[in-house]
């Protein structure tokens, strides 16, 4: 079943769901995985995340013995090709798991892409064009204007920064309704956060996490700070920097949206 990014919502993300991303634009995978995690955690905190191969995922499934366990497994699997077709068919029997799969080499994944397009799984096209970016933007920020969506696509088109990092920064800007900052980001190819040194950036992000976790303030975006230990990681990153360990901003962003538990 083919569905565009913009049409995916919380109702699609539940136990037993299977998503298959296909096309030549691989940057959407991490963004979509974070989106899925954020939606699942709104329903339950008992989520176990696995970034693994097809074979590794089957091994994890086979090793599970607790038939009454309440924990949901979420499998994120890249490079799915025709050779995996028989193995992947077993995923449809897993009723307490969620799978996000990404196609591999185009030539080696034609059959499996055709299989998913005809199956009950949700197949999402991800190609290197503005249509995909607009659709992805609508999924993450469903309530923004067309003008703002156009600005975000311009930002993505004019940067080589990792896509999940771009969306995280933009979500923080939009959380405060800083439309002028968003426009400036597009024009100058940098954001309000991009101009901060590492320590001020970490402290700004700490305030954001505490506002979300402690004060329960509303988050305008659908992209979430997914790591349950985000405050711990930010404080540790500040200490590492102060004691001479060189860390990058991308390291900080990755720690925020990736749940290591």
């Amino acid at each position: 079943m083919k569905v565009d990014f913009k049409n995916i919502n919380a109702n699609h993300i539940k136990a037993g769901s299977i998503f298959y991303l296909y096309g030549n634009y691989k940057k959407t995978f991490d963004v979509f995985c974070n989106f899925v995690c954020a939606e699942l955690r709104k329903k339950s905190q008992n989520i176990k995340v696995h970034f693994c191969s097809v074979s590794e995922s089957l091994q994890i499934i086979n090793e599970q013995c607790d038939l009454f366990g309440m924990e949901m497994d979420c499998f994120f699997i890249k490079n799915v090709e025709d050779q995996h077709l028989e193995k992947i068919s077993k995923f449809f029997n897993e009723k307490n798991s969620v799978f996000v799969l990404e196609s591999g080499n185009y030539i080696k994944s034609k059959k499996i892409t055709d299989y998913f397009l005809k199956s009950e799984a949700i197949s999402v096209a991800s190609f290197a064009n503005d249509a995909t970016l607009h659709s992805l933007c609508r999924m993450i920020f469903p309530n923004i204007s067309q003008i703002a969506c156009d600005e975000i696509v311009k930002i993505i088109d004019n940067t080589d920064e990792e896509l999940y990092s771009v969306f995280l920064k933009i979500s923080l800007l939009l959380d405060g309704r800083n439309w002028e900052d968003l426009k400036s980001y597009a024009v100058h190819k940098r954001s309000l956060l991009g101009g901060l040194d590492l320590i001020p950036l970490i402290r700004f992000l700490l305030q954001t996490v505490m506002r979300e976790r402690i004060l329960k303030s509303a988050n305008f975006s659908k992209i979430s700070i997914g790591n349950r230990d985000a405050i711990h990681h930010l404080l540790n990153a500040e200490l590492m920097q102060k004691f001479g360990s060189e860390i990058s901003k991308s390291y900080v962003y990755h720690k925020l949206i990736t749940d290591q538990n």
Side-chain angles (χ1 to χ4, degrees), residues 22 55 72 80 111 128 141 157 168 179 186 191 212 216 238:
Y22 66 96
S55 297
M72 183 187 300
V80 175
K111 291 182 181 179
F141 307 112
D157 283 340
L168 177 59
W179 303 108
S191 73
E212 179 183 325
K216 305 297 183 184
E238 182 173 348

Side-chain angles (χ1 to χ4, degrees), residues 19 29 54 66 100 111 153 160 172 186 190 208 231 237 248 261:
F19 299 92
F29 182 77
V54 172
D66 187 0
V100 178
K111 291 182 181 179
V153 172
D160 57 359
L172 295 173
R190 63 189 296 271
T208 301
I231 293 176
S248 65
N261 297 319

Side-chain angles (χ1 to χ4, degrees), residues 37-50:
C37 280
E39 291 298 330
L40 287 174
R41 289 196 179 95
K42 291 177 183 178
K43 303 172 184 178
S44 172
Q45 287 298 313
N46 294 321
I47 308 295
K48 190 169 184 180
V49 176
H50 308 275

Side-chain angles (χ1 to χ4, degrees), residues 13-48:
I13 302 170
K14 56 188 177 182
S17 294
I18 300 176
F19 299 92
Y20 178 73
L21 276 59
Y22 66 96
N24 63 353
Y25 192 59
K26 305 302 183 182
K27 295 181 180 181
T28 60
F29 182 77
D30 288 337
V31 177
F32 188 71
C33 289
N34 179 68
F35 177 80
V36 169
C37 280
E39 291 298 330
L40 287 174
R41 289 196 179 95
K42 291 177 183 178
K43 303 172 184 178
S44 172
Q45 287 298 313
N46 294 321
I47 308 295
K48 190 169 184 180

Side-chain angles (χ1 to χ4, degrees), residues 54-83:
V54 172
S55 297
E56 288 168 341
S57 64
L58 290 173
Q59 182 178 351
I60 292 169
I61 292 169
N62 291 334
E63 289 176 351
Q64 292 173 339
C65 300
D66 187 0
L67 298 177
F68 303 99
M70 299 300 292
E71 193 171 60
M72 183 187 300
D73 288 292
C74 192
F75 294 93
F76 298 135
I77 307 171
K78 290 185 175 183
N79 298 316
V80 175
E81 298 178 346
D82 295 342
Q83 62 176 312

